[in-house]
Amino acid sequence: MDVRNCRRCGKLYLYDGIPICPQCRKEEEEDFKKVKEYLYEHPGATLPEVSNATGVSPEKILRFLKEERLEIVGESNIILECERCGKAIKTGRLCDECKREVGTRFLSYLDDKKLRESMKKNEEYAKRKEGGYRYLSKDFKEDEEK
């Protein structure tokens, strides 16, 4: 059982993989619903307009954008930038190009790690083989006895 403090309100709650308590999560979803409904009725509204009309803070709306729960429409984006290269983006934290590059680097890292692990296992096997002992399967021994 993992008990933690909610990152938002500070109350203790039974941790379930999400850093905020169920009550704060419910409030977050209510705020998101307000923003979503307002944008549905007023597509293309600006951040201040949405914030004023819904009572949801601009910071929280920006977080919804970074979490890819909302997207900026049109070409006049001056509020959301790629955290890596600074290019204007419509949603998330990275532009498509940086997402691809970071993903490729991560996969390359995983491949390198697997290769290193495989090489280490091969070296360990070679050392065991040099020692004169190795494990043979039971089936092999039975075949040898026949």
Side-chain angles (χ1 to χ4, degrees), residues 117-135:
E117 288 172 358
S118 177
M119 288 172 61
K120 184 178 177 183
K121 285 180 183 177
N122 287 339
E123 288 172 8
E124 290 170 357
Y125 174 75
K127 285 179 185 176
R128 283 195 313 267
K129 193 173 180 183
E130 288 172 8
Y133 297 100
R134 66 179 184 198
Y135 172 76

Side-chain angles (χ1 to χ4, degrees), residues 12-73:
L12 287 174
Y13 74 105
L14 187 59
Y15 182 70
D16 58 358
I18 301 173
I20 59 174
C21 70
Q23 181 60 39
C24 287
R25 232 178 292 165
K26 183 179 175 189
E27 291 170 13
E28 288 273 313
E29 286 308 308
E30 288 170 3
D31 285 346
F32 178 72
K33 187 177 178 183
K34 286 181 203 173
V35 170
K36 183 176 130 183
E37 287 173 358
Y38 184 81
L39 288 172
Y40 183 76
E41 294 172 13
H42 303 90
T46 65
L47 179 65
E49 289 171 350
V50 176
S51 179
N52 289 335
T54 62
V56 178
S57 73
E59 294 80 18
K60 189 177 281 190
I61 296 169
L62 280 172
R63 194 174 75 244
F64 293 151
L65 284 163
K66 288 182 178 184
E67 291 172 349
E68 297 186 357
R69 297 178 77 186
L70 297 175
E71 183 178 85
I72 297 171
V73 295

